Amino acid sequence: MTVLDSAPLDVLDAYRTCEFVTLGRDGTPIAWPTAVWRREDGKLVVTTCLAFAQKALNARRDGRVALLFSDPTGSGLDNPPQIFVGGRAECPDEIRTGPQGLEEYWRMLFERQPHSRSYLSRPVRRLTDWYYLRLVITITPEQVIVRPPAQPSVPRVPPAPADGAPLPGAAQLADYPTAVLAARDASGAPVLARTRTVPSAGGFALHLPADCAVTAGPASLLVHRHDEQLNRLSNALVRGELKPADDGWLLVPASVLEPMGSGRGTDGLRLLRRTRRATDRYLERRGLQRPRVQWDLFRPLAAPGRRS
């Protein structure tokens, strides 16, 4: 038995993505959507390419992490419960250039995200090798909370702030019926909760579940979406300060991050350039040559119908 066995594992395994939070250098909980693989020993595995290595760097500095399974898009589940997992992460400073030891993870990813198979095509390998240069984060669960299903995703038009002043992130949050708050508890560990956000004077009003005991301090709000095949990805992170309010909490926004772009036609090209530059920087800072991806070992795993 492991801590994770207290959760409905079939539901957890069916989720295509989860929200994964690490602690930034300044202590701010930073959450991003990611795919997760559950090992037979009860540990959870997340990988990240060198172009988006910050979550790995954060986990090396402070191993306290958390995951929330709350967006069932593509899972085939009807109104499933949400699952919160808090734990400790380890991330060796080792660049994986092949799938050895992670074969089932890559089979799962290729099956759930079919378009990623195209990255293996010989004509585009020079542009997509960064995607296969991975860092591995292994999480040992220490806490599990099963919550009721997320509120229905119904369109909404949020009211304008009382003072009429624009709030950073208001446009991004308005496109989503709910957001995921990443904050810290009294011990300093990161916590996550999906909630509705309502613009008000000075920030976004939030109401959190009773089992999410947050404290005031640096926090962030994550919104993201994908289609049934993990395509058409978009996400945004609103960073700010969490403060107690009369009837709940208030996130006072300070900045907005949109790593996938904001929907412009040039976002794809800009993202490709940025990922290659970020990969180069990671290698240069460590005095490393660009590793060669073991393409021939990935290709069999990407073949349709090969999932074990």
Side-chain angles (χ1 to χ4, degrees):
M1 293 288 292
T2 67
V3 171
L4 206 57
D5 289 325
S6 62
L9 297 181
D10 57 335
V11 173
L12 185 148
D13 291 341
Y15 272 98
R16 266 35 183 174
T17 61
C18 77
E19 294 83 33
F20 176 58
V21 60
T22 59
L23 296 174
R25 187 179 298 275
D26 65 353
T28 302
I30 304 295
W32 294 113
T34 189
V36 178
W37 171 49
R38 179 177 63 88
R39 296 191 334 197
E40 291 185 1
D41 63 1
K43 294 186 178 183
L44 300 174
V45 174
V46 170
T47 75
T48 184
C49 60
L50 302 189
F52 298 104
Q54 193 58 54
K55 61 176 70 72
L57 301 178
N58 289 347
R60 290 173 188 164
R61 185 175 53 253
D62 190 328
R64 295 175 295 178
V65 301
L67 310 94
L68 179 66
F69 299 80
S70 66
D71 179 358
T73 303
S75 68
L77 301 175
D78 184 18
N79 214 28
Q82 303 176 72
I83 304 173
F84 169 83
V85 180
R88 290 272 177 175
E90 296 180 353
C91 182
D93 193 2
E94 174 189 359
I95 301 172
R96 298 289 192 96
T97 62
Q100 298 93 322
L102 296 170
E103 289 87 352
E104 188 62 18
Y105 169 85
W106 282 104
R107 289 190 187 99
M108 176 193 75
L109 199 60
F110 286 132
E111 178 186 285
R112 295 180 173 184
Q113 192 179 44
H115 78 273
S116 64
R117 299 170 185 163
S118 63
Y119 300 164
L120 292 168
S121 301
R122 193 176 296 275
V124 299
R125 287 181 180 178
R126 292 189 62 184
L127 300 177
T128 60
D129 66 338
W130 58 269
Y131 181 81
Y132 293 98
L133 300 176
R134 296 271 173 152
L135 304 171
V136 179
I137 305 171
T138 304
I139 300 115
T140 301
E142 298 177 340
Q143 178 190 24
V144 174
I145 298 174
V146 180
R147 294 174 180 156
Q151 301 177 51
S153 298
V154 294
R156 68 180 177 89
V157 179
D163 60 3
L167 291 170
Q172 290 80 3
L173 295 179
D175 285 338
Y176 297 81
T178 59
V180 172
L181 173 71
R184 301 178 72 164
D185 65 16
S187 72
V191 293
L192 295 163
R194 185 168 286 275
T195 178
R196 294 189 182 278
T197 62
V198 179
S200 61
F204 300 101
L206 314 170
H207 292 278
L208 305 177
D211 59 41
C212 185
V214 300
T215 58
S220 61
L221 285 168
L222 168 68
V223 288
H224 68 98
R225 65 166 58 97
H226 58 80
D227 65 15
E228 299 288 320
Q229 295 187 326
L230 293 183
N231 203 357
R232 302 184 183 278
L233 308 175
S234 64
N235 55 67
L237 187 81
V238 181
R239 296 184 58 163
E241 190 81 8
L242 187 65
K243 299 182 177 181
D246 292 339
D247 57 349
W249 292 89
L250 188 74
L251 190 287
V252 180
S255 62
V256 182
L257 300 176
E258 292 182 280
M260 305 301 291
S262 57
R264 295 183 295 271
T266 57
D267 283 347
L269 182 58
R270 187 176 292 109
L271 177 63
L272 181 60
R273 290 173 177 170
R274 189 165 66 246
T275 53
R276 291 192 64 82
R277 287 198 298 265
T279 300
D280 291 340
R281 284 197 302 271
Y282 185 94
L283 296 171
E284 289 170 1
R285 289 171 180 171
R286 288 159 178 78
L288 301 174
Q289 297 293 320
R290 198 180 193 90
R292 179 178 175 81
V293 176
Q294 301 178 59
W295 300 106
D296 291 343
L297 297 183
F298 281 108
R299 292 182 62 186
L301 303 178
R306 294 296 295 274
R307 180 90 187 270
S308 62

